[in-house]
Amino acid sequence: MSLATAIISASASVLVGLLALLGVIITNSKANKDMQHKLDIARAVTEERIAELTREVRQHNNFAQRTPVIEEQIKVINHRVSDLEKLHAPPSM
């Protein structure tokens, strides 16, 4: 084997190696972009779910705060109804 053949063979091997490396870099870059896109979508979905849960918790807390007020109003209404029933009850025999 001559020196020229050895140089050509070595150059071809280096070229094939560089092309393979370039292919791996491109493939990994594409896979990374795809994975990043999927993560961005998952993050957006998670943030929306958290926002919805936050709205629901606020609604629940508002209801929980209003419930004692409503219960007190019902007691007052029941007393008024009782007073009216006593006022308009037919005389007992």
Side-chain angles (χ1 to χ4, degrees), residues 30-74:
K30 173 84 167 102
N32 188 28
K33 286 180 185 179
D34 289 345
M35 183 59 71
Q36 188 63 42
H37 180 68
K38 288 178 184 178
L39 288 173
D40 289 342
I41 291 172
R43 185 179 308 119
V45 169
T46 301
E47 288 174 0
E48 182 57 33
R49 287 180 180 168
I50 289 172
E52 178 61 27
L53 285 172
T54 301
R55 283 190 291 274
E56 289 177 12
V57 166
R58 286 183 180 145
Q59 287 176 344
H60 178 269
N61 288 344
N62 185 35
F63 179 75
Q65 291 170 349
R66 290 179 54 200
T67 299
V69 173
I70 293 169
E71 289 174 346
E72 185 60 33
Q73 289 174 345
I74 290 172

Side-chain angles (χ1 to χ4, degrees), residues 83-91:
D83 290 344
L84 289 173
E85 286 174 343
K86 289 176 187 174
L87 183 65
H88 294 294

